[in-house]
Amino acid sequence: MTDTPLLALRYPNRRMAARLQEVWNEGSAALPVNPALPEAEVRLLLERLRPHSVEDETGVTELRQPVGVNPGTALVMATSGSSGEPKGVILSHQALENSARAYASRLRTGPGERWLCCLPLSHIGGLGILVRSRLAGTEPVVLDSFDVDAVANDRQATLVSLVPTTLRRLLDSGADLARYSAVLIGGAGLSSQEAQRSRDAGVRLVQTYGMTETSGGCNFDGYPLDGVEFRVEGEQILVRGPILMDGYRLRPDLTSEALRDGWLHTADRGRMDAEGRLEVLGRLDDVIVTGGEKVSAAEVEDLLQSHPAVADAAVGPLPDPEWGQAVAAMIVPAAGATPPVDDLKAFVADHIARFKAPKRVFLVSSIPRTVSGKVRRPAVKAQLERLAANGP
């Protein structure tokens, strides 16, 4: 049966948090929509996911030909990952509650612990905080958007979730993150340099791995949460547990491809060590094949970001008549720095296999990333091709 209404909510965080509670209490399901999305993207989202209505600060608009969701559904989360393909992830109340209980067990949260929510509630990283707070019976501290001063000056919360970009901004500002009982970092890979910098500042860092399809983080510091299983099959990470999505809305083809025999096929690359610790190596589609050798874009990015003259980096392929694909990099210089291109190439070659060193390096002002901090691979590839066409 699909008789439960699906309501699209397009509000800033504080209003979104209050309205979500009302929607759930009414027995309806919610489709959170980022209020900053351009109108064309919102229209496409609504056409594909077919909620009953969309509401924002101006009022409620009923939509034509809506499709309900199954009873027990809490959310349909719009996600495109790093691929650009928009999908609606169906999450049940039970999966979200299972995730929240697993978080509480691993973090050993007790009475008086409060979450700070400074991530968008249109993404699972922010929305999961509401579910965990609801389960614990506490009121989260909700900010309408990430703001360095607001986070630095807050003294009510004891737990916070961040993405690498927001963590970096807070560290740069000198904010006291050591006061939190835990700082969870997810959404995208954290460079080894930033992880060490956090620990040097006394931050109790918890690196999480997960996705919208797993109700958020389901692996902390390499180890699965209670009730969650991982395995690696042909380099691909597979996940099983009571935190998985029900499927992709109105896309049985994508659902059957991703969910097989109870396992979620993540399209992420990884490996397990002898102690069962998971190491995430990036996306399956971020592998560059150059001269027959495989290069992980994420590995090269992590190394480049450790260079003192580099603030951010993205790596992708360029067509090459000799090598098939050439490794190329876009670099955002650190403040006041102008990193010599040849030095950066040599730096990579000195630390990992020489064939992984970028053959082309371009200095840029920013890297295309999603709200959660993931590198937008198609956008990087397209930008690299434009830069290569315009000069050396």
Side-chain angles (χ1 to χ4, degrees), residues 237-259:
I237 298 171
L238 275 59
V239 187
R240 181 166 68 179
I243 42 70
L244 293 185
M245 67 171 180
D246 289 342
Y248 293 112
R249 178 158 168 83
L250 307 178
R251 291 299 304 269
D253 55 332
L254 294 179
T255 300
S256 61
E257 181 182 337
L259 292 173

Side-chain angles (χ1 to χ4, degrees), residues 46-47 49-54 61-67:
L46 298 177
E47 287 171 8
L49 301 184
R50 297 174 67 181
H52 288 71
S53 62
V54 58
T61 303
E62 300 295 328
L63 302 175
R64 292 183 295 176
Q65 297 182 316
V67 177

Side-chain angles (χ1 to χ4, degrees), residues 100-168:
R101 291 188 187 282
Y103 265 71
S105 175
R106 181 61 59 87
L107 295 173
R108 295 189 175 92
T109 54
E113 296 272 22
R114 293 183 69 184
W115 284 91
L116 172 65
C117 179
C118 57
L119 300 175
L121 290 178
S122 53
H123 290 258
I124 194 64
L127 209 145
I129 291 172
L130 295 190
V131 179
R132 296 193 286 275
S133 300
R134 182 181 169 107
L135 183 69
T138 59
E139 190 72 23
V141 179
V142 180
L143 304 181
D144 271 337
S145 61
F146 174 78
D147 178 84
V148 169
D149 290 338
V151 175
N153 293 328
D154 174 72
R155 290 297 179 270
Q156 301 177 72
T158 59
L159 296 157
V160 65
S161 281
L162 301 170
V163 297
T165 302
T166 54
L167 173 65
R168 188 180 308 117

Side-chain angles (χ1 to χ4, degrees), residues 19 60 63 72 110 113 171 194 235-236 238 248 270 289 313 352:
R19 187 68 182 110
V60 178
L63 302 175
E113 296 272 22
L171 291 172
E194 293 296 339
E235 283 201 330
Q236 182 173 198
L238 275 59
Y248 293 112
V289 181
I352 54 179

Side-chain angles (χ1 to χ4, degrees), residues 195-203:
Q196 188 57 53
R197 182 185 177 198
S198 301
R199 295 187 182 101
D200 290 344
V203 180

Side-chain angles (χ1 to χ4, degrees), residues 33-290:
V33 179
N34 187 343
L37 271 185
E39 293 300 326
E41 288 192 41
V42 173
R43 285 195 298 272
L44 178 61
L45 200 63
L46 298 177
E47 287 171 8
R48 291 201 176 185
L49 301 184
R50 297 174 67 181
H52 288 71
S53 62
V54 58
E55 53 185 86
D56 57 22
E57 303 287 12
T58 65
V60 178
T61 303
E62 300 295 328
L63 302 175
R64 292 183 295 176
Q65 297 182 316
V67 177
V69 296
N70 289 326
T73 300
L75 296 166
V76 173
M77 299 295 293
T79 177
S80 60
S82 57
S83 67
E85 170 69 19
K87 294 172 285 191
V89 176
I90 304 169
L91 295 173
S92 67
H93 284 286
Q94 190 62 62
L96 291 167
E97 182 177 317
N98 292 338
S99 173
R101 291 188 187 282
Y103 265 71
S105 175
R106 181 61 59 87
L107 295 173
R108 295 189 175 92
T109 54
E113 296 272 22
R114 293 183 69 184
W115 284 91
L116 172 65
C117 179
C118 57
L119 300 175
L121 290 178
S122 53
H123 290 258
I124 194 64
L127 209 145
I129 291 172
L130 295 190
V131 179
R132 296 193 286 275
S133 300
R134 182 181 169 107
L135 183 69
T138 59
E139 190 72 23
V141 179
V142 180
L143 304 181
D144 271 337
S145 61
F146 174 78
D147 178 84
V148 169
D149 290 338
V151 175
N153 293 328
D154 174 72
R155 290 297 179 270
Q156 301 177 72
T158 59
L159 296 157
V160 65
S161 281
L162 301 170
V163 297
T165 302
T166 54
L167 173 65
R168 188 180 308 117
R169 290 176 183 171
L170 288 164
L171 291 172
D172 288 345
S173 76
D176 177 20
L177 299 181
R179 65 186 179 80
Y180 290 102
S181 59
V183 174
L184 278 64
I185 185 76
L190 182 67
S191 72
S192 54
Q193 180 191 34
E194 293 296 339
Q196 188 57 53
R197 182 185 177 198
S198 301
R199 295 187 182 101
D200 290 344
V203 180
R204 288 174 285 279
L205 196 68
V206 178
Q207 296 192 62
T208 72
Y209 166 73
M211 57 204 71
T212 309
E213 290 87 339
T214 62
S215 302
C218 57
N219 184 296
F220 287 5
D221 293 326
Y223 296 101
L225 297 184
D226 293 348
V228 180
E229 298 175 69
F230 281 83
R231 80 172 195 240
V232 176
E233 191 175 275
E235 283 201 330
Q236 182 173 198
I237 298 171
L238 275 59
V239 187
R240 181 166 68 179
I243 42 70
L244 293 185
M245 67 171 180
D246 289 342
Y248 293 112
R249 178 158 168 83
L250 307 178
R251 291 299 304 269
D253 55 332
L254 294 179
T255 300
S256 61
E257 181 182 337
L259 292 173
R260 287 175 256 162
D261 298 322
W263 290 89
L264 173 69
H265 292 62
T266 67
D268 286 331
R269 295 172 56 244
R271 61 185 171 216
M272 306 278 283
D273 66 19
E275 297 179 354
R277 185 177 184 276
L278 178 70
E279 181 182 0
V280 181
L281 303 175
R283 297 286 291 174
L284 290 174
D285 60 4
D286 80 2
V287 174
I288 302 164
V289 181
T290 180

